[in-house]
């Protein structure tokens, strides 16, 4: 859990990059997650407007399993980060859209009647 | 001015800038309502502390935490999570940058999913899975006030 006084020493992006650079495991990792990437694309193509949490979770699990089976010694956080980033951005887009809808709806509620009176 | 007002003014401008029309909720106020859900996703807030967690825009999530140290002095920290296609970059006060990894990354992902689902249902009243409206046209007020 993200804690209040989180002092966990997670590696920096530089550390993460150097861990994977020039390692054959990275290639195996990328190959093993190709199927999962395609599945994730299919999820978004099939559901352009809303996020299907079950399908996304399934894509995450597939990606994790595929990577672990092919290269169990490689940490799978990069793939998880990709999936979580996509979900998080998508969630943000949908939330923004609904904020906009809500504000527009209210404007219509308040301004609409005034327009009719005038 | 409250904690949340301070953060929001810092991030989204003053209420005067954003305007408030005839009692309608502004986008800023909707974010504040969303944060009423977001602040409890990480568990209970310690006594004397405060927390906000909300989606600022499609690329940015904000976590604010306030707590007291042993001497009773109030401390606070604002953390910004930037969404990049290759990961979530955590940006803290003072220019500390690092990508989320491991358990912290998974927990952040879970928090976002819970935020999305609960906010869609309880603030905007839409089914987060299907996008279908959960309310009639007449009862349009958010459930959380």
């Amino acid at each position: 859990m993200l804690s209040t006084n989180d002092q966990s020493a997670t590696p920096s992006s530089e550390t993460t990059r150097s861990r994977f650079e020039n390692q054959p495991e990275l290639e195996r990792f990328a190959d093993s997650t190709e199927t999962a990437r395609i599945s994730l694309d299919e999820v978004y193509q099939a559901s352009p407007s809303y996020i299907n949490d079950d399908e996304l979770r399934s894509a995450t699990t597939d990606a994790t399993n595929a990577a672990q089976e092919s290269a169990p010694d490689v940490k799978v956080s990069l793939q998880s980060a990709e999936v979580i980033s996509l979900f998080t951005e998508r969630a943000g887009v949908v939330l923004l859209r609904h904020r906009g809808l809500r504000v527009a709806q209210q404007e219509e509620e308040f301004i609409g009647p005034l327009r009719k009176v005038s | 001015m409250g904690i949340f007002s301070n953060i929001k003014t810092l991030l989204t401008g003053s209420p005067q800038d954003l305007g408030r029309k005839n009692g309608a909720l502004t986008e800023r106020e909707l974010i504040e309502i969303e944060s009423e859900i977001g602040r409890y996703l990480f568990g209970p807030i310690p006594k004397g502390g405060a927390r906000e967690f909300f989606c600022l825009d499609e690329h940015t999530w904000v976590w604010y935490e306030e707590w007291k140290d042993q001497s009773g002095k109030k401390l606070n920290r604002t953390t910004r999570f930037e969404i990049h296609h290759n990961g979530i970059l955590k940006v803290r006060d003072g220019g500390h940058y690092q990508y989320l990894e491991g358990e912290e990354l998974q927990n952040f992902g879970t928090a976002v999913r819970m935020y999305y689902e609960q906010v869609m249902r309880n603030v905007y009243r839409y089914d987060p899975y299907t996008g279908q409206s959960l309310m009639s046209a007449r009862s349009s007020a958010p459930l959380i006030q």
Side-chain angles (χ1 to χ4, degrees), chain A residues 1-6 10-11 13 16 51 53 80 85 87-89 96 99 102 106-107 109-110, chain B residues 22 25 34 42 55 58-59 61 63 65 67 84-85 90 92 98-99 101 104 107 113 124 140 142:
Chain A
M1 179 173 286
L2 288 164
S3 64
T4 307
N5 299 306
D6 174 33
T10 51
S13 56
T16 306
I51 299 165
D53 196 39
S80 299
S85 297
F87 180 91
T88 304
E89 182 178 5
L96 251 63
R99 278 180 207 153
R102 178 73 190 165
Q106 291 173 147
E107 283 181 349
E109 282 171 9
F110 285 107
Chain B
N22 302 319
L25 294 166
E34 290 179 21
F42 299 100
C55 174
E58 65 265 54
H59 303 297
W61 293 68
W63 176 36
E65 188 85 26
W67 70 98
H84 298 270
H85 286 162
K90 183 165 83 172
R92 279 185 177 161
Q98 66 183 47
Y99 277 100
E101 281 204 328
E104 191 175 17
N107 289 339
R113 279 197 292 272
Y124 300 110
S140 58

Side-chain angles (χ1 to χ4, degrees), chain B residues 44-87:
Chain B
I45 301 168
K47 193 179 177 184
R51 180 185 302 145
E52 302 294 346
F53 179 70
F54 57 91
C55 174
L56 182 65
D57 58 41
E58 65 265 54
H59 303 297
T60 317
W61 293 68
V62 175
W63 176 36
Y64 172 86
E65 188 85 26
E66 186 179 286
W67 70 98
K68 285 181 181 174
D69 68 9
Q70 289 181 338
S71 66
K73 184 185 173 187
K74 273 192 175 181
L75 302 169
N76 66 73
R77 172 185 288 156
T78 302
T79 306
R80 200 172 71 241
F81 298 95
E82 294 181 1
I83 312 309
H84 298 270
H85 286 162
N86 59 330

Side-chain angles (χ1 to χ4, degrees), chain A residues 27 58 68 84 118:
Chain A
E27 226 168 83
S58 171
Q68 282 178 337
I84 290 171
S118 63

Side-chain angles (χ1 to χ4, degrees), chain A residues 22-67:
Chain A
N22 303 319
Q23 289 183 11
E25 285 84 357
L26 180 59
E27 226 168 83
R28 286 195 287 137
F29 178 85
D31 288 344
S32 70
T33 56
E34 191 59 38
T35 306
R37 284 206 185 91
I38 291 166
S39 300
L40 189 65
D41 287 343
E42 286 171 355
V43 167
Y44 285 109
Q45 282 168 14
S47 179
S49 301
Y50 294 94
I51 299 165
N52 187 319
D53 196 39
D54 287 338
E55 288 181 355
L56 189 83
R57 192 179 295 119
S58 171
T60 310
T61 306
D62 290 347
T64 305
N65 290 343

